[in-house]
Amino acid sequence: MPSSSLAAPLDVELRPDRPAMLRVDPPDDVAAWAARYREALRAQVTEHGALLVRGLGLRDTDQAGAVFTRLAGDLMPEREAFAPREAHGPGLYSSTPWPANQPMCMHHELSYQLEVPGLLLFACLTPPEQGGATAVADAAEILKALPAELVERFEQEGWLLTRTYNEEIGASLAESFGTEDRDTIERYCRANAIDFRWLPDGSLRTEQRRCAVVEHPRTGRRCWFNQIAFLNEWTLAPEVREYLVDEYGADSLPFNTRYGDGSPIGEDVVQLLNTTYEEHTRREPWQAGDLMLVDNIGTAHSREAFTGERRVLVGMAEPRRLADSCPTGEASRR
C-alpha cells in the first residue's frame, strides 16, 4: 500500500476511493499518544484533507474529548445550528440527529457563519450495523468539476441562506443562538451580517449572504465551500419537501438556499451539485474506536443512511474568518 512521505514516521495508506488511513496499535494512554503525534497527524490532514486513524480504541466521551483537545486545543461552541445536538462537554457534541434512513449530503460544517471551523474531529464510539459512513470529498476538485458558468455566477453573487425558526423543525432560537432574548439575538445578527425580521407570530426569519468559493488559508487552493445543496429544498426526500411546503409555505421553509441575488436555485442545479459530490466521494465504514480528522475548508463531508445504533462524537476547532471579502451585504437594523 503506498504511503505519504510527509510527516514520517506515520505510515498512511492511500487509496483513491477512501480517505487516507493510519492504522495504529492501541496505545496505553490515548491522549498522550495524540499529543505526541499532533503535528504529524495535522500535517497529514493538510496534505490529504482528511485522515482516519484506526486502532486507538476510543471508548467514551471523556476519552474522545481529551484526544480532541490534545489535537486541536480549545473546541468551538456551536452557534447557528440548523438542528439540535446533545452536548457532552465544552465543544463536544453528538452528531446531528438526522433521520437514520435519510443521508446527509456533502457540505462544509457551518459554512454559513462568518467565522467557520477550520478543523472537524469525529470519534466513533458505536458503529452502525450497516452504512452510516462519514464520507469526504475534495472541495478543490469539486470546484474544478463544476460548470464554469455556474461557478462564475456563485462567485459573483454568493449564496443566500434563508431560515424561519419554529419550535417543530430544526434548532430552536435557544439552541441556535444560546438565548431567546430578542435584543441579544438582534445584536448577534447585526454583528454577523444576518438580515432578520420578527414575524407577527413571534417567530424569526433570517437571511445571510455568504461566499461560495474561498481560498484555503493554508494551501491557497480555491475551494467550493458552502452548504448550497445540503440546505436546499430539492435535496430533501420528495415526501419531506412536500410536507414542509404544505405546512409552512414555499417561502417560509425552516431552511432553504438561493442564489445570492435571491433567485431560486432549480432542482436541476441541486441534482448536478449532489451528483458531482458523489463522483468525488471517498468513504470508509466506521469501526469502533475510530478517529477522523477533516479539514473543513478543503474537504466536504457527508453522513450516509444507516441501520442500527450509531454513536459518533463531533468537535469543531480552529475558527477561521474567511468571508471578509465575500458578498455578505449589510445586516438589517429593523
Side-chain angles (χ1 to χ4, degrees):
M1 192 73 68
S3 63
S4 168
S5 62
L6 184 64
L10 300 184
D11 185 20
V12 175
E13 300 174 9
L14 302 178
R15 290 180 51 172
D17 59 336
R18 298 181 182 181
M21 182 186 297
L22 173 67
R23 299 179 190 270
V24 301
D25 295 325
D28 294 332
D29 186 330
V30 180
W33 181 92
R36 177 184 177 186
Y37 287 99
R38 178 185 185 277
E39 296 305 319
L41 295 169
R42 297 298 304 276
Q44 294 289 346
V45 176
T46 298
E47 182 176 8
H48 302 299
L51 178 67
L52 179 65
V53 183
R54 177 155 290 167
L56 291 178
L58 297 174
R59 299 182 304 274
D60 54 47
T61 56
D62 289 343
Q63 193 179 52
V67 169
F68 285 6
T69 54
R70 295 300 193 285
L71 292 173
D74 292 337
L75 302 178
M76 295 173 60
E78 186 175 38
R79 287 288 181 266
E80 300 180 52
F82 84 95
R85 299 180 191 263
E86 182 181 358
H88 296 279
L92 185 64
Y93 299 98
S94 64
S95 54
T96 303
W98 199 256
N101 64 344
Q102 296 181 25
M104 299 173 66
C105 80
M106 285 287 176
H107 61 286
H108 298 263
E109 200 70 28
L110 299 177
S111 60
Y112 47 81
Q113 291 190 171
L114 287 188
E115 191 170 71
V116 305
L119 179 71
L120 304 180
L121 306 98
F122 299 93
C124 179
L125 304 186
T126 304
E129 293 175 4
Q130 291 185 324
T134 298
V136 295
D138 188 311
E141 293 301 316
I142 297 296
L143 180 64
K144 293 176 184 177
L146 291 173
E149 62 274 13
L150 181 66
V151 171
E152 182 179 1
R153 178 170 184 180
F154 276 115
E155 280 196 290
Q156 291 178 348
E157 299 179 8
W159 62 289
L160 191 70
L161 172 65
T162 64
R163 300 185 66 171
T164 303
Y165 292 84
N166 60 64
E167 297 299 322
E168 292 84 31
I169 302 293
S172 67
L173 288 176
E175 290 163 338
S176 190
F177 294 100
T179 180
E180 293 182 341
D181 179 73
R182 284 196 176 196
D183 290 341
T184 303
I185 292 172
E186 290 179 7
R187 284 195 298 271
Y188 180 93
C189 289
R190 292 189 180 103
N192 289 274
I194 300 173
D195 190 75
F196 63 88
R197 178 163 58 95
W198 296 100
L199 303 180
D201 64 359
S203 60
L204 177 68
R205 180 175 174 80
T206 63
E207 292 184 354
Q208 53 211 92
R209 191 151 54 107
R210 300 293 186 249
C211 49
V213 179
V214 302
E215 181 178 296
H216 195 287
R218 287 187 176 177
T219 68
R221 301 173 80 201
R222 293 175 67 248
C223 298
W224 179 253
F225 177 78
N226 55 71
Q227 283 166 257
I228 292 168
F230 178 60
L231 295 174
N232 189 274
E233 61 182 299
W234 295 113
T235 293
L236 297 169
E239 65 275 11
V240 175
R241 178 185 177 275
E242 182 178 347
Y243 166 79
L244 291 176
V245 170
D246 288 345
E247 185 74 14
Y248 299 105
D251 294 327
S252 298
L253 297 176
F255 49 83
N256 203 1
T257 61
R258 293 175 173 266
Y259 289 106
D261 67 357
S263 303
I265 299 172
E267 182 179 7
D268 58 333
V269 172
V270 176
Q271 288 179 347
L272 170 65
L273 295 177
N274 285 327
T275 298
T276 304
Y277 281 130
E278 180 58 34
E279 291 171 348
H280 292 78
T281 290
R282 293 171 287 150
R283 57 173 59 82
E284 170 67 20
W286 283 114
Q287 292 186 14
D290 281 351
L291 169 73
M292 180 181 274
L293 308 176
V294 177
D295 176 343
N296 186 46
I297 299 168
T299 304
H301 70 281
S302 66
R303 192 226 67 190
E304 300 182 343
F306 66 93
T307 60
E309 183 184 4
R310 179 184 186 273
R311 286 193 68 206
V312 175
L313 300 179
V314 181
M316 294 167 274
E318 294 194 350
R320 299 278 188 177
R321 192 176 180 92
L322 302 175
D324 291 331
S325 61
C326 293
T328 57
E330 295 294 329
S332 168
R333 298 186 178 274
R334 285 173 286 185

